[in-house]
Amino acid sequence: MRVRRTLALALASVTAIGLLAACGDSPNANKNKAQTATVLNVGMPNGPQTENHNPFLTTSAARSLGYAYQIYEPLMMWNPVKPADPMKPWLATNAEWAPDYTSVKVTIRDGVKWSDDKPLTAEDVAYTYNLVKDNDALNDQGTPYKEVSVSGNVVTLTFDSPQFVNQPKVLFRVPIVPKHIWEKISDPKTDINKNPVGSGPYTLKSFTPQTTTLSVRTGGYWQDLPQVKELRYTSYTDNNAQTTALANGESEWSFVFIPNYKTVFVDKDPASHKVWAPAVLGIHGLYINTTKKPFDNVALRKAMNMVVNREDIFVQAEAGYFHPQVKSVTGLPSPAGDSFIAEEFKGKEHAVDVEGAKKLLTDAGFKLDGTTLKDPTGKPVKLTLTDPAGWSDYQTSLEIVKDNLSKIGIAATVDKANQDAWFKNVEAGNFDATFRWTEGGATPYDIYRTVMDGAQLKPIGTASPAGNFGRFNNPEATAALRAYAAATSDADRTTAMATLQRIFVDQMPMIPVGADQVGGAYSTKNWVGWPDDANPYGAMQPTQPNAVDVVLHLKPAGS
């Protein structure tokens, strides 16, 4: 699954937005014990937002802050913390896959109404999937839809290839939208969806660049309404402002990197302040633009991998908890990926080897001229490392990588990008190197697909939201991905997975660094019922599609 990053530099002073939050405008703040909370304050340090409620666009405010998933719902609810568990029926009551996974018949729930009181039908579902099928920019999962048909309350989706590995992407990742609204939109790829109408329990109340407020529906929701009457999504400028708001109770739920989290957050209110960071099968690392010279040279990418100090990144940038260190040369995290590691790579781990990297470069025609590495044409090797300014662990990671690369003569600069511009540039391939996450799932397929899938290979300048941001072009990897997805036996899947790992290790299209997680920082002072180790019913991260399920579980503390 795709994890939204929300990190920032730990600044010495609280920013203006942080001060506003700290001053207090929370309706829960002054309630006495006889009263119960009605508002849940959600925070994300993504900076000022531009109004855009389009649930399909990864760059929209609705997706950035996560409120899209309180307005729009999927057919089924999947738990990325326990990915092998059966999906929970949601807008669909049943999903029946063909034996070869090239089609699925979905039974649409009766009695569901849109927030404008019109009924949700199978025609709406079919329209939604046709919309995604016909618009690559809306198909952020890269699912190969072929046909969509309707018979009564059953929608049949067929695909160009087996979708065994993509079941959550098909049924969990697509927000269902009303046909009567969206068929009037001239360009769904750019429309901001000014007045969103969804099937979820909330409607849009107000929007500002800092705060988006949702109100619970007065009626017509297909299941019991949540006890949270209002959701306030505040987009803080950076991690420092977000952490301050969490520590003083103005923010009650966030996915944010907190350096020294126990001291600066948990210890401020040990009874209420919690952090839950469940690991999943996905990774983070340094994507390299393989179309840019000299980084199209495999030897250079492998040398870069050999000098990256993952332990320093884990301890210094990730506070020893946020993204556990990836040690296997395959890029697979432990323990989630251990059983998938091919025999030839078992026990083989990354180790810093500066001298070995220098020899590899020399053998490939590079020359270290003093402290400057020159490529085979004699040009100094330079690159820009980029990530959003507010994402502190990534910014610290880039500084560490910059220092690591200097040891082999590569001159790197760090670009502290605007978040929205960064998302667009990475998807369009307009970057040299950047830290980013991969998709995740029940197998490593999604990790390798995000990095190496030729089906997502787009020209520089054309968005590729589903992956292959570094424009890695390797037909063998693409074929192995297809073989894994289409396999009908464990033996065939094992063979395809071994091929993917060999290509990843030999070609180094992305430098793996840390494991992924879908956790969050939260408070039980006003609301209880959050997922945790005792009841891991879903991801804690508020920008995941199951965020609506989390809110539906919440009850006022003491009730």
Side-chain angles (χ1 to χ4, degrees), residues 183-206:
E183 66 183 354
K184 299 173 184 176
I185 294 175
S186 59
D187 189 354
K189 302 184 296 297
T190 60
D191 194 271
I192 68 168
N193 191 27
K194 181 73 173 178
N195 299 300
V197 172
S199 65
Y202 291 92
T203 60
L204 179 68
K205 179 179 180 180
S206 63

Side-chain angles (χ1 to χ4, degrees), residues 327-332 337-350 448 494 497-498 501-502 505:
K327 296 182 179 181
S328 171
V329 296
T330 65
L332 299 186
D338 290 349
S339 64
F340 295 96
I341 295 176
E343 285 296 329
E344 64 178 304
F345 298 121
K346 284 185 177 179
K348 294 185 179 180
E349 298 185 348
H350 293 289
Y448 293 127
T494 297
M497 183 56 61
Q501 291 176 30
R502 174 180 52 77
V505 172

Side-chain angles (χ1 to χ4, degrees), residues 363-431:
D363 292 345
F366 289 81
K367 180 181 179 181
L368 191 59
D369 187 359
T371 59
T372 300
L373 181 67
K374 293 184 177 180
D375 69 20
T377 70
K379 293 181 180 179
V381 178
K382 302 178 181 180
L383 85 162
T384 299
L385 305 168
T386 183
D387 273 296
W391 298 2
S392 67
D393 69 336
Y394 275 12
Q395 286 294 327
T396 303
S397 297
L398 294 183
E399 292 293 342
I400 292 172
V401 170
K402 174 184 175 180
D403 179 68
N404 296 159
L405 295 180
S406 72
K407 292 177 170 56
I408 54 174
I410 298 176
T413 56
V414 174
D415 170 47
K416 298 180 179 180
N418 168 273
Q419 180 206 303
D420 288 345
W422 176 84
F423 268 106
K424 292 174 183 176
N425 285 333
V426 171
E427 290 183 359
N430 294 320
F431 68 95

Side-chain angles (χ1 to χ4, degrees), residues 18 21-23 243-251 265 268 273 525:
C23 289
T243 301
T244 298
L246 282 167
N248 66 29
E250 296 297 332
S251 185
F265 172 58
K268 297 297 183 183
H273 290 178
K525 184 175 182 179

